[in-house]
């Protein structure tokens, strides 16, 4: 574990050093859980967004996009349930003055039982060697069974408390299991309180009677309240979807793990409107479609898994997370939810407007059911960054850090490098760069040795380097170096656009989805 933590720290440091992600307001000692994207980060982020947007809106005839405002009428958040129920249970430690999510403290305690079980299994595996039957051991070993029993007991008590919204019981669990503050090491806890995650601000001047408004905690509601506008003006027929990319804000109690949990982040959400009764069929469709989208990037199929929800939000009748293997374990990157007709019905009720869809085939009106796919851009960015990072030992004391980004989403697609800074090579290199830059993000670099320049491009994940040397002036050929294999081959300048185009275009990725 410690090793994985070190790897993660190294990746975070790399992200800063190479212009991917900076702490917000760093010169003022930072603003907690808020981050800025640097020159390379913004390119990667934009490419991820483009991959999602085009997969949604260009590959589906019946999905269109919108861009709704961050501010919305405050009653929207009353209708959606966020004002009353978008809460996390928090608890403070009186000695460290640190604030924690009570549910997370207990979940960590539950995870400790699994760690104990895994330790027993690892010990036994070592002892028995080849003949070890892990499944049998897990089912029969008394110590494993005892840990599992205790885990299930705690889990059940915890779920009951969460479902009943019983804050006193959550505190009692923390006391009974002697959970200590990891910083102060004490059990000097306050009571558990509910904490609403929405940021509030005021709109209009106080003299006019300012209105309290919220920064949206999800982009979805902007889609719901516009669904009929889009349906009517776009002459959409059910089933159809509306996609949106935009900022969301949550006053997270404990912001951890770099850009995994931020207070200002970006979501890519698609709401798919279907006939009542057909929602589970479409839920299954989107569950599979979304995993295919992730896997097409080629980061490794084994890094994904579904986590089907047993406990459903009150409005949902099916929900799954797509989890990705981060350096700190499998974590949610995307949620796929069958939200029934809850949101639209609530908006109908609170706005007093009829927002039913008229289905010409059935000749009847109804409130559509909705399947939502909701993915965090920043979490997606983090999963790409972590899985592509490699500190590679090249032998003979040589090493490099390389980001194996899938070429279509790499921030920089190619770099043009004159071998030396004289003899007309820079001019020729510039000429090539100017030709390529219409189609590809393309850098020019003439500083330092060619080896150092290759390393710099590897460290930001540039898939191709194009080296211009004296031979280029004679026969118009260059050396094309490929990032992952480091192979070099001689190609004609005239071929560059075709070669690069076939490897780095987003189309090559999108075509895998059909
Ligand atoms: P979590 O359980 O991790 O808090 P959630 O279930 O509340 O997440 P959703 O409300 O389903 O998340 O939001 C959809 C997606 O938005 C998540 O899968 C995640 O990728 C992203 N997301 C949610 N909260 C944050 C955050 N604080 N920072 C970054 N991304 C987030």
């Amino acid at each position: 574990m410690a090793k994985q933590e070190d790897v993660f720290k190294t990746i975070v440091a790399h992200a800063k050093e190479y212009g991917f992600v900076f702490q917000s307001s760093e010169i003022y000692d930072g603003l907690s859980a808020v981050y800025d994207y640097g020159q390379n980060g913004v390119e990667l982020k934009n490419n991820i967004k483009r991959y999602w947007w085009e997969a949604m809106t260009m590959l589906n005839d019946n999905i269109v996009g919108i861009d709704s405002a961050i501010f919305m009428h405050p009653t929207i958040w009353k209708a959606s349930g966020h004002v009353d129920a978008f809460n996390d249970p928090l608890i403070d430690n009186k000695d460290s003055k640190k604030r924690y999510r009570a549910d997370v403290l207990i979940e960590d305690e539950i995870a400790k039982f699994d760690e104990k079980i895994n330790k027993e299994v690892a010990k036994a595996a070592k002892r028995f060697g080849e003949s070890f039957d892990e499944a049998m051991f897990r089912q029969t070993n008394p110590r494993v069974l005892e840990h599992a029993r205790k885990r299930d007991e705690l889990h059940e008590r915890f779920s009951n408390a969460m479902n009943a919204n019983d804050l006193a019981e959550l505190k009692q669990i923390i006391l009974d299991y002697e959970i200590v503050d990891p910083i102060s090491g004490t059990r000097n806890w306050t009571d558990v309180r509910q904490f609403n995650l929405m940021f509030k601000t005021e709109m209009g001047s106080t003299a006019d009677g300012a209105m309290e408004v919220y920064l949206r905690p999800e982009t979805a509601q902007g889609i719901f309240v516009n669904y009929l506008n889009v349906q009517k003006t776009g002459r959409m027929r059910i089933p159809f979807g509306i996609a949106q990319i935009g900022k969301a804000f949550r006053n997270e109690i404990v912001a951890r793990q770099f850009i995994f949990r931020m207070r200002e982040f970006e979501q890519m959400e698609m709401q798919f409107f279907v006939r009542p009764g057909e929602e589970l069929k479409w839920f299954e469709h989107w569950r599979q479609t979304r995993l295919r989208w992730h896997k097409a990037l080629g980061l490794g199929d084994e890094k994904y898994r579904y986590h089907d929800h047993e406990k459903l939000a009150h409005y949902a009748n099916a929900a799954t997370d797509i989890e990705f293997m981060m350096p700190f374990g499998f974590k949610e990157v995307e949620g796929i939810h069958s939200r029934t007709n809850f949101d639209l019905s609530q908006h109908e009720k609170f706005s007093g407007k009829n927002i039913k869809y008229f289905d010409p085939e059935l000749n009847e009106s109804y409130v559509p059911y909705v399947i939502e796919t909701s993915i965090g851009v920043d979490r997606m960015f983090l999963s790409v960054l972590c899985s592509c990072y490699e500190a590679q030992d090249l032998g003979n004391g040589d090493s490099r850090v390389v980001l194996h980004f899938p070429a279509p989403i790499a921030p920089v697609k190619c770099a043009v490098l004159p071998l030396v800074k004289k003899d007309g090579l820079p001019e020729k290199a510039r000429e090539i760069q100017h030709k390529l830059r219409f189609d590809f993000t393309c850098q020019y670099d003439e500083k330092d040795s060619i080896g150092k320049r290759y390393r710099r491009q590897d460290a930001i994940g540039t898939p191709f380097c194009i080296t211009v040397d004296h031979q280029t002036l004679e026969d118009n050929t260059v050396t094309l170096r490929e990032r992952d294999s480091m192979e070099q081959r001689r190609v004609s300048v005239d071929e560059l656009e075709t070669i690069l185009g076939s490897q780095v275009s987003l189309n090559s990725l999108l075509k895998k989805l059909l």
Side-chain angles (χ1 to χ4, degrees):
M1 192 63 199
K3 200 156 175 287
Q4 281 301 82
E5 271 167 26
D6 289 345
V7 171
F8 188 51
K9 272 192 197 148
T10 314
I11 294 172
V12 173
H14 187 87
K16 179 179 175 194
E17 190 180 344
Y18 286 90
F20 284 90
V21 183
F22 307 125
Q23 174 71 61
S24 158
S25 321
E26 195 184 352
I27 59 168
Y28 291 94
D29 298 331
L31 185 64
S32 166
V34 186
Y35 290 91
D36 298 335
Y37 286 84
Q39 67 280 16
N40 290 317
V42 70
E43 295 289 346
L44 176 60
K45 195 177 178 204
N46 284 343
N47 292 341
I48 290 172
K49 289 196 275 188
R50 210 152 64 83
Y51 175 41
W52 184 88
W53 186 259
E54 295 192 2
M56 283 295 176
T57 63
M58 283 165 61
L59 301 189
N60 293 285
D61 294 336
N62 54 350
I63 297 183
V64 292
I66 63 164
D67 183 20
S68 70
I70 287 172
F71 288 133
M72 288 190 272
H73 195 286
T75 311
I76 286 175
W77 303 111
K78 194 80 194 146
S80 67
H82 284 82
V83 171
D84 296 322
F86 195 53
N87 297 321
D88 277 340
L90 70 80
I91 189 165
D92 294 284
N93 182 273
K94 292 181 197 161
D95 298 318
S96 70
K97 307 265 184 284
K98 289 279 172 204
R99 180 160 286 182
Y100 298 91
R101 267 174 63 176
D103 56 331
V104 173
L105 286 178
I106 299 172
E107 274 166 6
D108 288 349
E109 191 67 19
I110 294 173
K112 280 188 194 156
F113 289 112
D114 283 322
E115 278 164 31
K116 283 181 189 158
I117 293 172
N118 290 339
K119 264 193 198 145
E120 294 287 351
V121 172
K123 243 179 10 198
K126 216 164 152 193
R127 199 165 58 233
F128 295 115
E130 295 250 308
S131 62
F132 181 58
D133 181 343
E134 184 179 327
M136 175 70 94
F137 182 80
R138 282 181 185 271
Q139 280 164 24
T140 55
N141 179 272
R143 274 192 303 273
V144 168
L145 292 178
E146 183 57 13
H147 290 316
R149 189 190 61 73
K150 286 186 178 160
R151 176 199 58 202
D152 295 344
E153 191 178 270
L154 173 56
H155 187 265
E156 193 179 340
R157 201 173 152 193
F158 170 58
S159 316
N160 290 341
M162 287 297 282
N163 287 333
N165 220 345
D166 187 344
L167 302 182
E169 170 68 353
L170 286 178
K171 170 147 188 206
Q172 199 53 49
I173 296 175
I174 289 172
L175 296 179
D176 290 350
Y177 281 81
E178 304 187 343
I179 296 174
V180 296
D181 174 359
I183 294 176
S184 65
T186 70
R187 302 198 293 261
N188 196 6
W189 296 110
T190 61
D191 285 343
V192 178
R193 281 174 295 143
Q194 286 292 23
F195 178 75
N196 192 287
L197 300 183
M198 283 197 296
F199 284 98
K200 247 189 245 174
T201 187
E202 286 186 350
M203 185 175 264
S205 70
T206 12
D208 292 339
M211 188 197 239
E212 211 167 54
V213 292
Y214 300 97
L215 297 187
R216 65 181 178 199
E218 61 174 31
T219 59
Q221 298 303 327
I223 296 179
F224 291 133
V225 297
N226 275 302
Y227 108 93
L228 262 194
N229 284 338
V230 173
Q231 187 271 318
K232 288 196 171 135
T233 55
R235 293 167 37 245
M236 313 292 290
R237 286 210 177 170
I238 268 180
F240 70 91
I242 303 177
Q244 166 158 241
I245 300 178
K247 288 274 176 128
F249 305 83
R250 297 183 186 178
N251 198 1
E252 300 280 0
I253 299 172
V254 188
R256 280 192 301 193
Q257 285 143 346
F258 191 40
I259 55 172
F260 182 79
R261 191 172 296 286
M262 301 154 89
R263 297 201 165 104
E264 172 180 341
F265 58 101
E266 213 166 352
Q267 289 186 314
M268 306 189 279
E269 297 199 297
M270 193 280 296
Q271 311 293 327
F272 199 70
F273 300 86
V274 304
R275 279 185 187 157
E278 294 193 349
E279 70 275 13
L280 292 181
K281 180 184 90 184
W282 284 110
F283 172 74
E284 195 45 43
H285 167 85
W286 283 109
R287 192 175 174 272
Q288 288 178 21
T289 306
R290 291 304 305 145
L291 189 61
R292 249 200 336 273
W293 181 90
H294 284 275
K295 286 187 173 172
L297 278 172
L299 303 178
D301 288 2
E302 72 292 349
K303 297 203 170 100
Y304 300 90
R305 71 176 190 197
Y306 286 121
H307 170 229
D308 295 324
H309 288 208
E310 292 154 36
K311 177 180 174 268
L312 296 170
H314 57 285
Y315 53 77
N317 66 0
T320 289
D321 295 337
I322 294 177
E323 296 186 336
F324 188 82
M325 198 169 72
M326 300 279 188
F328 40 89
F330 270 99
K331 296 286 169 194
E332 172 185 342
V333 174
E334 171 157 9
I336 297 132
H337 310 120
S338 173
R339 292 179 79 128
T340 67
N341 61 358
F342 172 79
D343 300 89
L344 292 178
S345 300
Q346 286 290 98
H347 289 308
E348 192 162 53
K349 193 163 115 196
F350 277 74
S351 67
K353 306 269 174 14
N354 174 6
I355 53 173
K356 290 190 178 57
Y357 165 78
F358 176 72
D359 191 325
E361 280 169 46
L362 299 180
N363 199 26
E364 69 178 69
S365 295
Y366 53 79
V367 178
Y369 273 50
V370 176
I371 309 301
E372 163 182 271
T373 72
S374 174
I375 168 171
V377 180
D378 313 272
R379 282 196 194 171
M380 187 63 205
F381 182 107
L382 187 61
S383 61
V384 170
L385 183 67
C386 291
S387 58
C388 292
Y389 177 93
E390 189 188 10
Q392 213 175 27
D393 183 354
L394 300 173
N396 301 325
D398 199 8
S399 67
R400 67 170 180 162
V401 171
V402 55
L403 295 176
H404 299 284
F405 290 139
I409 60 167
V412 179
K413 303 293 191 256
C414 59
V416 186
L417 319 169
L419 188 62
V420 288
K421 237 193 293 183
K422 54 181 185 183
D423 305 336
L425 299 190
E427 290 76 9
K428 180 70 185 168
R430 281 282 186 205
E431 187 190 307
I432 296 171
Q433 184 221 358
H434 289 177
K435 205 166 121 193
L436 293 177
R437 68 179 171 187
F438 290 101
D439 292 309
F440 314 103
T441 40
C442 184
Q443 284 191 351
Y444 173 86
D445 188 5
E446 59 177 27
K447 254 209 187 123
D448 300 323
S449 72
I450 194 76
K452 272 195 182 157
R453 281 180 273 166
Y454 284 154
R455 293 288 174 274
R456 268 205 296 272
Q457 294 299 330
D458 288 342
I460 62 166
T462 306
F464 293 104
C465 286
I466 296 158
T467 309
V468 174
D469 57 18
H470 292 93
Q471 195 185 327
T472 311
L473 302 181
E474 286 163 25
D475 63 6
N476 207 34
T477 64
V478 288
T479 304
L480 186 66
R481 174 192 182 265
E482 202 270 332
R483 175 196 66 201
D484 295 345
S485 64
M486 292 187 283
E487 267 169 27
Q488 304 190 9
R489 61 189 166 120
R490 205 79 206 170
V491 302
S492 158
V493 169
D494 300 329
E495 290 174 280
L496 282 173
E497 276 161 288
T498 318
I499 298 173
L500 292 186
S502 68
Q503 311 254 349
V504 309
S505 81
L506 199 54
N507 291 357
S508 59
L509 205 51
L510 292 170
K511 280 186 180 143
K512 288 192 200 167
L513 301 177
L514 290 177

